[in-house]
Amino acid sequence: MISYSKNTQTYGITNQLSFLSDVCISFDNDIDEFDVCRTVKSITERMNIYDYIEAPDKNSRTSKYSDLQLFRIVLLSNSDGDYKSTRKTAELCKYNIRYMYVSCGAKPTHMTISRFIKRLKPSVHKLFIDISKTIAKNLDIYFPILTLDGTKFEANANKNTHIWAKATKRYRLQAWKKACKLIIRTNKYFEKHGIDVRYSILKLPDFLYLLAISTKLQQFMLSLGIKPVDGRGHKKSEIQKLYEEYDELALKLFKYTIMFDMLDGRNSCSKTDVDASMLHMKYDYYCHNNTFKPGYNVQFGISYGFISEIFINSDANDLRTYIPVMDRFKEDYGHYPQIAVADAGYCSFDNNKFSLIHSIDFYTKYVGMTEENKRITEKNKYKTIHMKQDDDSYKCPEGYSFEEVGERKETRGVYDRIIKQLENKHCGQCPNKSKCTKAKGNRKISISPELESYKDNIRAKLDTPVGKELMNARRIYSEGTFGILKQDYGYDRVYRRGLSGVEEEITLMAIGFNLRKYTKELKDRAMKKREKLLN
């Protein structure tokens, strides 16, 4: 049916007429052959959706949209470049031909999509691993090399509602000192009025103890017929003042107890999102400076440009994430990677020994490696790294050797290690002692022979062509992946709260990233095949 309408705008002399007609959409012709929506549909056709969500109960309320339709919509929204909220996704289902294609014309509301994502949360990591394995199988690749890197994503939390462990500990101690003085004043009050009651002072802060004293004082006031007063013109009795101070201090100590429960052994956290820690971000777009903001440390394991492993925590340091990532990779794929590549932030005694025990060829740099390669000058010749000799002994710039004076066993780590202490016994007569050390006696250094052997092995591997190629590939794959997500997609902060919500959000985004890369790889292979046939 054709409708006629007359445009009110006039161009020159002629009145323009417009005709509105029904349009026939062809998915085969209007959607590109290598569009990511086709990839989403082909991948999900061979998957059983109920391996990842519970099948709907017969007696429960059912949606008019199938779970497969919603599953495809969620995957496409995360594969379609930048982050899309459930409202934006629901809007795209109404007019975007690509979303119509994967959903067969379904137009769910944003609440329907949100409820489905919640159902997907418990098994989202299993979904990610299965899709990664499917992609690897279709491209005939496997994951022997894992390049590891991490970045910090800002949490969906107020950056001013932070809790610091050191400050909380200091404030709690001050409150407890006031409580101890208050108990002494209470005992003096009872002694003054001839009351045979004494309260002891506890060594550890306990708000329940203060509340118990407060309750006893309230009962004592009632027995004496003392009514609590307040406001101008009413003078409070001494016992009422003590009672109110106990209540105030008990409330403070209770607040500090809750804060320590929220911290859970960490140095900091946010009140808005308890699982997020205060991390040092690279740039603050509010204050235009570097500052602490609540966030999460996201670790990606990259293989052939695809995200093959994810680990999320709130630890500001990457050093303690290497072993959990490797263990999770083993759990997901049944084996450890043959080669692991990471930057200097992952090099430690524990990580190197873990790699040696599990036959992982670990390529990384260590802290101070760049300094070792610098030319020795008057300013840096007194550093320990420039005193090591070819025979693993240590000699100061004045030519005096360090002698072993003792050793100890270091147990603060995953694996125990031996620390040897070396001392130079010729510092007393040295004219350059002030340049070398600030110690009153001789200069001492501590070394771990096993760690030094790991460093020698690292230097030897990085000097090979394979080592240089792997370290260059790490920069391209690992840092390039975060660059695409943050710069190209504009995804530099998370929108859900809580560790489980953030894990689901990041995992879905990683699935979308892999599907887009998989689509591009299929297109590149098809183009090369066509060029080969034409030639």
Side-chain angles (χ1 to χ4, degrees), residues 275-313:
D275 291 335
S277 297
M278 302 301 292
L279 306 178
H280 197 142
M281 302 294 178
K282 291 185 178 178
Y283 184 72
D284 186 351
Y285 48 84
Y286 293 117
C287 304
H288 302 286
N289 59 5
N290 298 335
T291 186
F292 285 97
K293 289 186 288 187
Y296 290 90
N297 188 355
V298 179
Q299 300 289 322
F300 280 168
I302 314 293
S303 299
Y304 289 102
F306 293 94
I307 302 174
S308 56
E309 194 54 83
I310 301 173
F311 180 74
I312 303 172
N313 66 352

Side-chain angles (χ1 to χ4, degrees), residues 401-415:
S401 298
F402 283 80
E403 301 176 9
E404 183 178 343
V405 294
E407 67 177 32
R408 60 183 177 84
K409 189 176 182 180
E410 178 60 71
T411 59
R412 294 177 301 175
V414 181
Y415 304 103

Side-chain angles (χ1 to χ4, degrees), residues 416-438:
D416 296 344
R417 55 176 168 165
I418 301 298
I419 303 294
K420 290 186 177 182
Q421 192 170 30
L422 308 180
E423 181 179 353
N424 193 325
K425 298 184 178 180
H426 302 85
C427 294
Q429 307 298 327
C430 182
N432 296 320
K433 179 183 175 182
S434 60
K435 298 179 182 179
C436 184
T437 181
K438 294 181 180 180

Side-chain angles (χ1 to χ4, degrees), residues 75-114:
L75 289 185
L76 180 57
S77 65
N78 286 278
S79 307
D80 199 16
D82 58 342
Y83 173 81
K84 291 177 177 61
S85 64
T86 54
R87 292 182 183 273
K88 180 65 176 177
T89 304
E91 185 181 353
L92 289 171
C93 291
K94 296 177 182 178
Y95 64 81
N96 192 301
I97 186 175
R98 299 159 66 248
Y99 285 80
M100 295 177 186
Y101 171 69
V102 298
S103 65
C104 300
K107 299 176 182 178
T109 63
H110 73 94
M111 286 302 299
T112 303
I113 298 173
S114 179

Side-chain angles (χ1 to χ4, degrees), residues 51-53 119-128:
D51 289 341
Y52 313 105
I53 61 172
R119 292 172 60 194
L120 197 62
K121 180 186 287 189
S123 302
V124 68
H125 186 75
K126 182 177 182 296
L127 171 65
F128 163 73

Side-chain angles (χ1 to χ4, degrees), residues 35 38-39 50 167 180 199 221 350 416 423 428-429 472:
D35 193 280
R38 294 187 183 275
T39 305
Y50 295 112
C180 292
Y199 291 106
M221 290 170 59
D350 290 333
D416 296 344
E423 181 179 353
Q429 307 298 327
N472 288 332

